[in-house]
Amino acid sequence: MRQSKPSDKYKHREREYGYAYEDEYGESEQSRQSNQINSSNPINLDNPSKLYKQRRNNAEHKNPSNSFRIGWVVILLIYLYLLTKLILFKGGAVDVGLVWDRLTALLHQPDLIHTRTVNLTPFQEIKRDWHSLSLHRPGTAIHLAGNIVAFIPFGILVAGMVRVSVFTGLNVLFLSFLLSLGYEATQLLTGIGIFDVDDLMLNTLGGMIGYLVYTVLLLSYRLLTGGKARVAAKRYGKERHV
């Protein structure tokens, strides 16, 4: 028996949803695939803006950003290598053997810890550098600004990797402090550098500045894409009424 042609109702649905129906009772393969994609997120034609966001979310679901995350991790590892080179080895070659030898020597001679230079007084070195800065000594400016600037990329990278929430800033604060503490403790134990509580504070401040920079960039991006979504939604609404 010859099947009848699709009714006007299905033709109208085909124009609205983009589905292709075989007949009044059966669905084509394209329709079944589309229904599977949108089953958990039904389309609301009364709200063009929401429809646009749903289609964009479906597109993001089809194309996960795994490669982006991998690239983000690679950049973080490269940054940590360069930061270690700068802080522990003062820009020289990274020598893990030197660190291991110093730690081994400390284990055999624990009294060597008393020969390390330590500053446990907050703001002591910051005030000294600030006073030297007023005497037009550029080296102190590099020390002050360098401890902050060096950790700004870390705050940006961490904020970009963790799930955005109200606790993102706390995560960046804790991880920046922990990383800086690791470097300062390594300098204390090996004697390669000086344990300075002021460096610890400046490094943590740099990480938080990086978090603020990332937040501003993220909000700017969302405002920009949100404006594009509204424009697309208005255009879609006009097309529906034509």
Side-chain angles (χ1 to χ4, degrees), residues 206-227:
M208 292 305 298
I209 293 176
Y211 163 70
L212 293 177
V213 171
Y214 176 83
T215 302
V216 171
L217 294 176
L218 181 62
L219 290 176
S220 300
Y221 172 77
R222 287 182 175 178
L223 289 174
L224 180 62
T225 55

Side-chain angles (χ1 to χ4, degrees), residues 151 154 158 162 170-180:
F151 270 67
F154 182 73
V158 171
V162 301
L170 294 178
N171 291 331
V172 174
L173 177 66
F174 174 73
L175 293 176
S176 298
F177 176 82
L178 192 63
L179 179 63
S180 179

Side-chain angles (χ1 to χ4, degrees), residues 31-60:
S31 175
R32 287 191 292 270
Q33 293 176 357
S34 300
N35 285 330
Q36 290 176 0
I37 294 175
N38 297 293
S39 58
S40 60
N41 193 11
I43 296 175
N44 184 3
L45 294 176
D46 296 331
N47 192 337
S49 178
K50 184 178 293 186
L51 174 60
Y52 176 83
K53 291 179 180 179
Q54 289 174 355
R55 289 180 174 177
R56 186 177 63 182
N57 292 336
N58 289 336
E60 293 176 354

Side-chain angles (χ1 to χ4, degrees), residues 10 17 22 49 63 85 91 99 103 105 118 127 136-137 154 170 172 176-178 191 227 237:
Y10 288 100
Y17 291 84
E22 290 181 350
S49 178
N63 301 302
K85 181 183 178 72
V99 176
L103 291 175
V118 180
K127 291 179 180 178
H136 305 288
R137 296 179 180 176
F154 182 73
L170 294 178
V172 174
S176 298
F177 176 82
L178 192 63

Side-chain angles (χ1 to χ4, degrees), residues 63-241:
N63 301 302
S65 57
N66 292 333
S67 58
F68 175 79
R69 291 183 179 275
I70 293 175
W72 204 257
V73 172
V74 170
I75 294 175
L76 177 62
L77 293 177
I78 295 174
Y79 162 76
L80 291 177
Y81 171 81
L82 296 176
L83 188 65
T84 302
K85 181 183 178 72
L86 176 65
I87 294 179
L88 293 183
F89 302 98
K90 315 307 176 186
V94 176
D95 190 354
V96 180
L98 175 62
V99 176
W100 178 254
D101 291 341
R102 294 291 185 93
L103 291 175
T104 303
L106 182 64
L107 290 175
H108 289 86
Q109 297 178 345
D111 292 339
L112 289 176
I113 195 69
H114 299 293
T115 64
R116 312 302 193 213
T117 304
V118 180
N119 172 37
L120 297 177
T121 305
F123 300 103
Q124 175 177 302
E125 293 299 324
I126 293 177
K127 291 179 180 178
R128 183 179 301 173
D129 289 342
W130 187 260
H131 178 70
S132 299
L133 182 61
S134 63
L135 299 177
H136 305 288
R137 296 179 180 176
T140 56
I142 295 175
H143 179 261
L144 280 174
N147 281 299
I148 297 175
V149 174
F151 270 67
I152 290 179
F154 182 73
I156 296 175
L157 292 170
V158 171
M161 291 182 64
V162 301
R163 187 186 182 101
V164 178
S165 66
V166 294
F167 301 105
T168 303
L170 294 178
N171 291 331
V172 174
L173 177 66
F174 174 73
L175 293 176
S176 298
F177 176 82
L178 192 63
L179 179 63
S180 179
L181 181 62
Y183 284 125
E184 296 300 321
T186 302
Q187 292 181 105
L188 173 65
L189 296 176
T190 60
I192 295 177
I194 299 173
F195 182 94
D196 191 350
V197 68
D198 288 346
D199 289 348
L200 188 61
M201 292 189 296
L202 292 174
N203 293 157
T204 306
L205 175 61
M208 292 305 298
I209 293 176
Y211 163 70
L212 293 177
V213 171
Y214 176 83
T215 302
V216 171
L217 294 176
L218 181 62
L219 290 176
S220 300
Y221 172 77
R222 287 182 175 178
L223 289 174
L224 180 62
T225 55
K228 290 181 177 180
R230 287 191 293 269
V231 172
K234 290 180 180 179
R235 184 179 302 173
Y236 177 79
K238 292 179 179 179
E239 291 176 354
R240 285 189 58 206
H241 290 87

